[in-house]
Amino acid sequence: WKVNMPEIILGDLELHYTEAGHGSPLLLLHGSFSTGADAFGEILPLLAAHCHVLCPDMRGHGATRAAPYGWTVPQLARDMLAFLDALGISRASVAGHSMGGDVAMYMAVLSHCRVEKLVSIGSAGIPGPSVSRFVQRFSPEAHPEKAFPRFVQAIKEKHMPAHGGDWRTFARTTIENCCLYPQFSEDDFRSLDMPFLCGSRDRLTPPEDREKLQSLCPRFTQHAVPGAGHAPQCGATMPYTAGVLLDFLGNGRLAEKHGLHAE
């Protein structure tokens, strides 16, 4: 397989994405303040050995451009359904990290038949105080340039095509969405057949949120990656996480063959 990095026009959106591999389609959705490459660059080659992987920079992020600037989490879900339409993909498995997990859940709520299998990584679909406290540190009004200079520099550089140099609006929009969304009803949760994956040390998905999700979602499966934080698909736990994901997606034998089995 080889990696392609094309762009596609979707109305007012110039969507940049990475495409690799063959087989059943797998859509990977990044989280807040992130890009497709940031969230899934390490794990993508392992997944692309077994799946047709699509990894976009969503609206307002990375190399994707849109005018006017601005977005909401439900809008990102609609964008991703339009993205699959444009590629002629009627059904795809979707794995999202953090905010990307929320977008994946919205996709399934909006059009359940389009989502073959759904995996949320590090999001229980419930906005809470832990997430709000975390993201508020990066509000322009809190002057993050002083406390988190590298983080702000990364925002300026990695998302320059998306925000055109207005990193403060980018940060405010991201924080607003993290605090406001997702907004799911109990009936929405009951419609989701969803495995949930998180790091055993993830402080942004408290046990009570996971318990609520487990009580509402049919055939709910939860897996905590030992020793991992909020992004178990990155760093030392990445191969283990790849094995868990492939198991969830029905490629357990392939994962085991390549030494990626979670057991």
Side-chain angles (χ1 to χ4, degrees):
W1 57 272
K2 64 178 181 178
V3 175
N4 297 316
M5 300 181 70
E7 289 190 342
I8 191 169
I9 305 297
L10 302 173
D12 65 338
L13 193 64
E14 277 184 49
L15 187 76
H16 172 91
Y17 64 102
T18 300
E19 180 177 27
H22 301 281
S24 300
L26 170 61
L27 180 63
L28 300 177
L29 302 177
H30 63 78
S32 301
F33 295 110
S34 190
T35 67
D38 283 343
F40 296 105
E42 293 180 60
I43 202 171
L44 189 147
L46 298 182
L47 300 177
H50 312 295
C51 307
H52 174 199
V53 178
L54 300 162
C55 186
D57 289 348
M58 290 189 283
R59 180 186 295 265
H61 297 79
T64 288
R65 296 173 174 84
Y69 180 82
W71 52 272
T72 66
V73 171
Q75 182 181 22
L76 299 184
R78 293 191 293 270
D79 285 344
M80 292 300 99
L81 291 169
F83 175 50
L84 295 179
D85 285 340
L87 296 179
I89 297 174
S90 59
R91 285 172 65 84
S93 294
V94 187
H97 173 240
S98 197
M99 179 194 73
D102 300 336
V103 175
M105 286 183 254
Y106 267 108
M107 288 178 68
V109 168
L110 290 170
S111 188
H112 186 76
C113 65
R114 304 294 304 279
V115 179
E116 181 75 29
K117 294 185 179 180
L118 169 65
V119 182
S120 175
I121 306 171
S123 174
I126 301 168
S130 57
V131 174
S132 296
R133 284 193 299 268
F134 178 78
V135 297
Q136 289 291 354
R137 300 182 302 168
F138 309 120
S139 167
E141 287 68 35
H143 304 291
E145 309 98 305
K146 297 179 180 179
F148 309 102
R150 291 184 181 178
F151 182 81
V152 172
Q153 189 61 31
I155 288 176
K156 291 178 179 178
E157 294 175 358
K158 291 181 182 180
H159 302 280
M160 176 64 75
H163 61 57
D166 187 0
W167 73 268
R168 292 176 176 82
T169 296
F170 169 86
R172 291 187 187 102
T173 303
T174 301
I175 292 166
E176 179 181 324
N177 275 272
C178 286
C179 295
L180 186 60
Y181 295 104
Q183 297 178 8
F184 295 123
S185 68
E186 290 194 355
D187 285 341
D188 289 336
F189 282 122
R190 291 189 185 100
S191 73
L192 300 177
D193 181 0
M194 187 184 77
F196 175 74
L197 179 63
C198 67
S200 64
R201 299 178 179 176
D202 186 354
R203 297 181 179 180
L204 298 184
T205 53
E208 57 269 24
D209 288 355
R210 302 181 215 169
E211 289 167 7
K212 180 177 180 179
L213 198 60
Q214 185 164 17
S215 71
L216 293 173
C217 292
R219 295 176 294 281
F220 180 83
T221 304
Q222 181 177 175
H223 194 109
V225 177
H230 188 56
Q233 78 280 11
C234 300
T237 57
M238 179 273 292
Y240 183 97
T241 301
V244 176
L245 271 175
L246 290 170
D247 277 347
F248 281 160
L249 298 172
N251 289 297
R253 276 192 244 173
L254 290 171
E256 189 171 16
K257 177 181 176 182
H258 291 272
L260 300 174
H261 202 267
E263 297 297 327

